């Protein structure tokens, strides 16, 4: 197993680079605005490997198998057939309207937050907006999306869920937003969203750092280190 580890790590690194390239190529042929493409492309370029892997596994993407079977996928996306398939995929997942809705909703949330006019806690809004934006990612998210539509939408005038959420937010409809929180809290999709948010905050440096302590043989250096941590360092 140890002999195979360097090969596995090499294949994994290559596969991560392949996935990053495919996603960037799909982004380039998508009908999103220039600013949305620019921001997302910059994020994909800076996204650390560990976060890329976590998202791939969370979405059940076999990036290692994909890299092996379709090594030139990024180049094929730029062909006429590839562009058509990429755009169909984006349309099937409402990626374009979701992107535009998120832009508008984000501006509204910032405006109401600055005016202290958010109807519910900002952390709840953060989780709800992300839950709605990712509502096509997993089977659990699709179930959540249906329940969210029942809460947010007017049956006679259905909109994109993010649009209906913005309407509820601007109208200060606390009852609807709390009902939405109830179906997220404690559910599997709610836990999935929380994990994705924690990963994002860890990457952005917005969350508490994670410390992992490994038990090894004690040495004078370790004793001195722990003494400084517990008692505080000296002026020296």
């Amino acid at each position: 197993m140890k002999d195979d580890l360097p090969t596995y790590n090499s294949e994994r690194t290559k596969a991560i680079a392949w996935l990053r390239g495919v996603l960037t190529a799909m982004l380039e042929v998508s009908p999103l605005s220039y600013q949305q493409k620019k921001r997302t492309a910059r994020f994909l370029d800076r996204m650390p490997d560990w976060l890329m892997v976590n998202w791939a596994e969370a979405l059940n993407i076999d990036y290692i198998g994909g890299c092996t079977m379709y090594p030139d996928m990024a180049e094929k996306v730029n062909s006429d057939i590839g562009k058509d398939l990429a755009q169909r995929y984006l349309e099937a997942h409402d990626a374009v309207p979701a992107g535009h809705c998120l832009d508008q909703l984000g501006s509204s949330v910032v405006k109401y937050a600055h005016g202290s006019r958010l109807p519910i806690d900002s952390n709840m809004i953060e989780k709800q907006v992300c839950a709605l934006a990712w509502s096509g990612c997993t089977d659990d998210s699709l179930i959540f999306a249906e329940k969210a539509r029942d809460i947010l939408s007017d049956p006679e005038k259905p909109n994109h869920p993010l649009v209906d959420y913005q309407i509820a937010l601007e109208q200060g409809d606390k009852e609807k937003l709390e009902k939405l929180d109830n179906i997220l809290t404690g559910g599997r999709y709610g836990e999935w969203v929380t994990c994705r948010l924690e990963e994002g905050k860890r990457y952005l440096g917005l969350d508490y750092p994670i410390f992992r302590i490994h038990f090894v043989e004690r040495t004078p250096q370790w004793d001195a280190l722990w003494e400084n941590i517990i008692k505080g360092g000296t002026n020296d």
Side-chain angles (χ1 to χ4, degrees):
M1 181 65 180
K2 290 183 179 179
D3 294 338
D4 295 336
L5 189 59
T7 300
Y8 170 78
N9 287 336
S10 176
E11 291 177 351
R12 185 170 177 268
T13 300
K14 181 181 177 181
I16 294 170
W18 171 88
L19 177 60
R20 197 185 306 272
V22 170
L23 292 174
T24 301
M26 288 186 66
L27 179 65
E28 289 175 354
V29 301
S30 69
L32 294 169
S33 70
Y34 170 75
Q35 286 299 328
Q36 288 171 328
K37 287 184 181 183
K38 182 179 178 180
R39 289 196 299 265
T40 309
R42 185 169 181 268
F43 175 71
L44 284 173
D45 184 57
R46 296 164 62 94
M47 192 176 187
D49 288 354
W50 67 264
L51 186 56
M52 182 75 73
V53 169
N54 283 9
W55 265 93
E57 291 176 351
L59 297 173
N60 294 318
I61 297 174
D62 181 10
Y63 59 99
I64 295 178
C67 178
T68 302
M69 293 185 288
Y70 309 103
D72 59 345
M73 176 65 76
E75 290 76 15
K76 287 184 177 179
V77 169
N78 288 311
S79 68
D80 290 339
I81 294 176
K83 289 178 181 178
D84 182 59
L85 289 173
Q87 292 190 15
R88 286 187 187 182
Y89 177 85
L90 293 171
E91 289 172 3
H93 289 78
D94 284 335
V96 177
H100 295 313
C101 291
L102 278 172
D103 274 349
Q104 296 174 6
L105 180 54
S107 298
S108 292
V109 171
V110 171
K111 180 178 71 175
Y112 282 95
H114 285 167
S116 300
R117 291 183 291 156
L118 293 176
I120 57 174
D121 181 75
S122 61
N123 290 327
M124 291 170 63
I125 292 177
E126 175 186 71
K127 187 174 180 179
Q128 290 173 2
V129 170
C130 290
L132 290 169
W134 299 331
S135 60
C137 290
T138 68
D139 291 340
D140 291 328
S141 73
L142 295 175
I143 296 172
F144 164 78
E146 289 300 319
K147 293 178 179 179
R149 287 190 185 94
D150 291 339
I151 293 171
L152 298 170
S153 297
D154 181 346
E156 297 180 0
K157 297 179 181 178
N159 298 304
H160 189 282
L162 288 168
V163 173
D164 285 324
Y165 186 87
Q166 183 170 350
I167 293 171
L169 183 70
E170 293 179 346
Q171 291 178 345
D173 197 331
K174 187 175 180 179
E175 183 180 354
K176 282 185 177 181
L177 300 181
E178 288 182 341
K179 283 182 179 179
L180 196 63
D181 186 66
N182 288 337
I183 63 173
L184 265 179
T185 302
R188 287 190 304 182
Y189 181 56
E191 293 174 358
W192 187 92
V193 170
T194 298
C195 287
R196 308 289 78 77
L197 281 170
E198 288 175 351
E199 290 164 356
K201 289 179 180 179
R202 175 184 163 197
Y203 161 60
L204 295 171
L206 300 175
D207 211 346
Y208 294 109
I210 298 173
F211 294 95
R212 292 184 175 86
I213 300 174
H214 298 278
F215 292 93
V216 296
E217 183 179 352
R218 289 181 62 172
T219 66
Q221 289 82 6
W222 272 110
D223 288 342
L225 173 63
W226 282 111
E227 184 175 352
N228 282 333
I229 290 174
I230 296 170
K231 296 182 179 179
T234 65
N235 292 331
D236 297 332

